[in-house]
Amino acid sequence: MAINLTRREFLKDLGLMGVGVTLAPGSVTNASAFGEWDREKTSAPARPPWIKTVDKPTTEINWEQMKRYDERNTCRGGLVKYIGQEKLDAWTKASAAALDKYLKENKPGYTLKDVALQAASGVGSGPQSFLGPSDKEIETPEKRGVSKWKVTPEEAAQVVTAALRHLGAATVGFVELDPKTTEKLIYINDPDGKELVFSDVDQPAETDKQRIIPRKARWVIVYTVQMAREAMYRSPTILASQTTGLTYTRNRNIQYRIQTFLRTLGYMGLAAASTNALGIAPAFGVLAGLGEMSRYNRLLTPEYGPMVRVFPVVTDLPLAPTKPINAGIMEFCKACKICAEACPTKALSLADEPTWEVQGGWNNPGHKAFFENSVKCREYQRNVAGTNCGICFGVCPFASADKALVHQIAYSLIATVPAANGIVKAMHDLTYGPVDVNGNPMRSPEAWWKMDLQDYGIDTTQGRKDA
Amino acid sequence: MLWLILGVVIGAGAFWLFSWTRARKINVTWYEWSLALLAVVFALLAIQNFEGSLAEFETRAAWILLAMFGVPALALAAISAYLVRRRHQPKPVSQKA
């Protein structure tokens, strides 16, 4: 085939081809062709434009009605209050019997290698305490002969975010404590029964009965730590359960390190003395814009879906609060119901709208939510699964990795066109298939052992601009 | 690497198509070019979602998404080619009595 071109036409086409070849890869990948150019300009971590910041969270809160909650009323430590000692003993026995039976049957996800991994995931963490490292362990600015670190709250927020990310956190936000509102999210009693007291003192303290938070510590750092998605897809098994344990273990290190970081800067870092202590972490997460409340009544993040655990740290370092978000998540949950349908014990709400009416003492009144029946959830975990469940985490459409562009298309639709939520849900069901309602793992536990996964099973580049 | 290769293929393909139509003196309208461009976008979406879903170990989703974006890509390319071809087909000589 002969093509007759003038020299002018040839050079023009060559130029066009050059532009095409240069821009085409950029147009089909997530990376901006101009990423390097704007890197220095942005201060706040970049989020997709469809995650809108708002003044009020998508969960309605009645601060007048809300009171400080006693952690011992949750089903985590207070199950005996709701079912009695006799039933609790029977359930504990059933759980041990189930695990023993599954181990001896070599049931996938419950084999000796799964049990060994669970044992390994629970060890090797730093000390966990309210006050953090002792004065002897810390080289404070005073000891170094310099004044404490002083910058604007905005700059402090940026530096703490960068430090926490480096130490292993996924997303980070900040909430200012107000006695009439946000302070009510600090537990009145920790799981060990110690009272959390706000007091006009200069330094925090811990006694046999109390943990004292100085009133000048008015800022809460709240952060998420990613869980291993592929392991959680194996819920409900020991293999899936261990990723929850590993996330808590990893957090103990992150928590101790951020406490050390804050203390070295000259500020206090008051954290959870044990698992689920100090405050209602998902509520702080919602107020800080890390995510929205969801049908499964936990924090659902736009970056990682439910595949996170949330942790708060109280400090006197002034930090610029981050705003709540509306990414259409709560609205989508109203139309979705996939987690509630997949729940083998029907512990999650199938209602069309969230409600102010709690299901029991394990729920904290004063906010409108899809309250769950926590006792039913625990009953299944103890009597059938033998361990933590997590099916509701795995089946959530937001739990997906971000490799396929279709997720971003769906999330942006969910955030901007709520009327399309039904269609998005239908497309999700068509594409990813129906969920199992019999409590079987979504994916083969044995196949997990043959996978070539990332460190800790998490993708630290997901949702990151500079990754 | 896949996207670099695809970028080169698309750039070279576009250059060839542009040159070929001009050399053959084939007049292509703006909306025919637009349909062809849309076909390329859909084809890229099909490839991206297929590859991405396989990376997520979602085999079922990979094939469904390949069809979901790939079929419209083929349809749009076919419509574009058909419109060009129809306009440039020699008109039948009318036989007058």
Side-chain angles (χ1 to χ4, degrees):
Chain A
M1 181 191 69
I3 300 172
N4 295 319
L5 295 174
T6 64
R7 188 167 56 185
R8 183 192 165 96
E9 283 171 337
F10 177 74
L11 289 172
K12 191 176 155 191
D13 289 346
L14 202 65
L16 273 173
M17 190 174 79
V19 170
V21 167
T22 308
L23 292 183
S27 67
V28 293
T29 64
N30 291 333
S32 161
F34 310 106
E36 290 297 325
W37 295 2
D38 60 14
R39 182 171 300 225
E40 299 299 325
K41 289 183 190 167
T42 50
S43 57
R47 283 177 123 175
W50 44 267
I51 304 175
K52 299 180 287 285
T53 53
V54 289
D55 292 327
K56 285 186 177 176
T58 52
T59 295
E60 285 184 60
I61 305 167
N62 181 347
W63 290 112
E64 297 289 322
Q65 191 192 353
M66 190 173 284
K67 291 183 173 59
R68 286 179 66 194
Y69 187 74
D70 189 334
E71 204 282 339
R72 296 170 301 172
N73 287 334
T74 65
C75 278
R76 188 176 287 98
L79 188 56
V80 68
K81 290 182 185 173
Y82 306 111
I83 61 170
Q85 191 61 49
E86 200 178 325
K87 220 174 198 178
L88 180 66
D89 292 342
W91 288 11
T92 307
K93 217 171 163 182
S95 171
L99 290 177
D100 186 58
K101 180 172 172 274
Y102 299 154
L103 174 67
K104 284 169 183 162
E105 281 175 355
N106 227 16
K107 186 176 176 176
Y110 291 87
T111 65
L112 189 58
K113 61 180 181 292
D114 301 300
V115 173
L117 189 64
Q118 186 186 42
S121 298
V123 297
S125 60
Q128 183 170 17
S129 70
F130 172 66
L131 296 170
S134 68
D135 288 346
K136 280 183 193 169
E137 292 170 282
I138 293 292
E139 283 288 314
T140 58
E142 199 177 18
K143 286 185 195 171
R144 292 173 195 268
V146 294
S147 56
K148 62 160 59 172
W149 188 65
K150 278 184 184 161
V151 292
T152 64
E154 288 74 19
E155 195 180 340
Q158 191 179 352
V159 167
V160 169
T161 301
L164 262 169
R165 287 249 176 89
H166 183 71
L167 297 172
T171 46
V172 185
F174 308 97
V175 176
E176 190 164 356
L177 288 176
D178 179 331
K180 288 183 181 165
T181 55
T182 48
E183 203 175 283
K184 294 180 181 180
L185 299 175
I186 297 289
Y187 289 128
I188 192 141
N189 283 106
D190 259 344
D192 60 4
K194 286 194 184 181
E195 189 186 1
L196 287 155
V197 180
F198 285 94
S199 176
D200 289 319
V201 292
D202 189 54
Q203 289 301 314
E206 181 165 357
T207 66
D208 287 346
K209 291 184 178 172
Q210 290 185 325
R211 293 193 170 98
I212 296 156
I213 305 170
R215 284 232 169 263
K216 68 176 181 178
R218 282 172 42 219
W219 293 272
V220 177
I221 304 164
V222 53
Y223 59 93
T224 59
V225 179
Q226 274 197 77
M227 292 197 291
R229 177 183 296 103
E230 281 300 325
M232 278 302 281
Y233 281 160
R234 273 73 186 174
S235 296
T237 58
I238 289 278
L239 177 61
S241 169
Q242 63 76 34
T243 188
T244 308
L246 181 61
T247 310
Y248 280 115
T249 311
R250 286 177 54 222
N251 176 59
R252 273 179 221 125
N253 288 330
I254 296 167
Q255 179 178 302
Y256 195 71
R257 285 169 181 158
I258 197 64
Q259 285 175 310
T260 303
F261 180 77
L262 291 166
R263 294 283 302 282
T264 306
L265 291 175
Y267 298 90
M268 56 189 78
L270 309 173
S274 61
T275 299
N276 200 43
L278 188 64
I280 308 172
F284 280 119
V286 168
L287 292 174
L290 301 186
E292 294 177 53
M293 285 303 279
S294 57
R295 179 172 291 278
Y296 70 100
N297 206 21
R298 302 284 183 278
L299 182 78
L300 213 167
T301 70
E303 287 89 357
Y304 316 100
M307 295 296 180
V308 291
R309 295 279 152 179
V310 200
F311 305 96
V313 174
V314 175
T315 181
D316 58 339
L317 169 66
L319 294 156
T322 45
K323 285 179 130 187
I325 58 160
N326 182 354
I329 292 172
M330 189 47 143
E331 276 304 309
F332 182 74
C333 282
K334 291 178 188 174
C336 179
K337 300 183 181 179
I338 196 168
C339 56
E341 284 161 357
C343 177
T345 189
K346 299 291 171 258
L348 300 180
S349 168
L350 277 159
D352 292 331
E353 291 288 330
T355 174
W356 296 99
E357 301 299 318
V358 296
Q359 290 262 334
W362 53 83
N363 296 137
N364 186 26
H367 69 291
K368 209 172 173 184
F370 288 110
F371 291 110
E372 81 283 27
N373 189 329
S374 215
V375 172
K376 269 190 180 179
C377 175
R378 294 278 158 177
E379 184 179 11
Y380 179 79
Q381 292 185 26
R382 300 281 177 101
N383 291 331
V384 183
T387 182
N388 289 356
C389 180
I391 289 174
C392 50
F393 281 57
V395 298
C396 177
F398 282 95
S400 315
D402 68 348
K403 304 285 184 226
L405 206 58
V406 73
H407 302 304
Q408 301 306 316
I409 298 170
Y411 297 163
S412 57
L413 259 179
I414 287 168
T416 52
V417 193
N421 282 345
I423 297 167
V424 174
K425 168 65 170 37
M427 292 303 287
H428 176 272
D429 291 350
L430 170 74
T431 313
Y432 295 91
V435 294
D436 190 303
V437 293
N438 298 314
N440 296 311
M442 289 167 68
R443 294 183 184 175
S444 157
E446 283 305 305
W448 183 88
W449 289 94
K450 294 172 186 140
M451 296 175 89
D452 185 18
L453 295 168
Q454 308 95 330
D455 305 13
Y456 293 115
I458 59 171
D459 182 358
T460 54
T461 64
Q462 189 162 333
R464 298 276 79 86
K465 181 167 71 81
D466 289 335
Chain B
M1 186 49 115
L2 171 68
W3 298 106
L4 182 70
I5 295 166
L6 275 176
V8 171
V9 168
I10 290 166
F15 170 69
W16 174 81
L17 194 64
F18 194 67
S19 307
W20 184 76
T21 53
R22 211 160 47 179
R24 291 282 191 96
K25 295 195 172 15
I26 296 170
N27 182 29
V28 184
T29 63
W30 66 268
Y31 58 85
E32 286 156 352
W33 280 121
S34 304
L35 283 175
L37 184 69
L38 208 56
V40 172
V41 170
F42 269 87
L44 288 173
L45 279 170
I47 295 166
Q48 201 285 334
N49 282 298
F50 181 72
E51 190 218 13
S53 296
L54 287 181
E56 294 172 5
F57 310 104
E58 297 282 5
T59 315
R60 174 196 164 106
W63 289 107
I64 289 175
L65 291 168
L66 185 69
M68 212 179 272
F69 291 106
V71 170
L74 290 175
L76 286 165
I79 292 168
S80 175
Y82 171 74
L83 289 174
V84 175
R85 189 185 163 85
R86 192 179 64 169
R87 206 152 23 79
H88 288 86
Q89 262 182 345
K91 287 176 186 166
V93 182
S94 58
Q95 293 180 345
K96 288 181 183 172

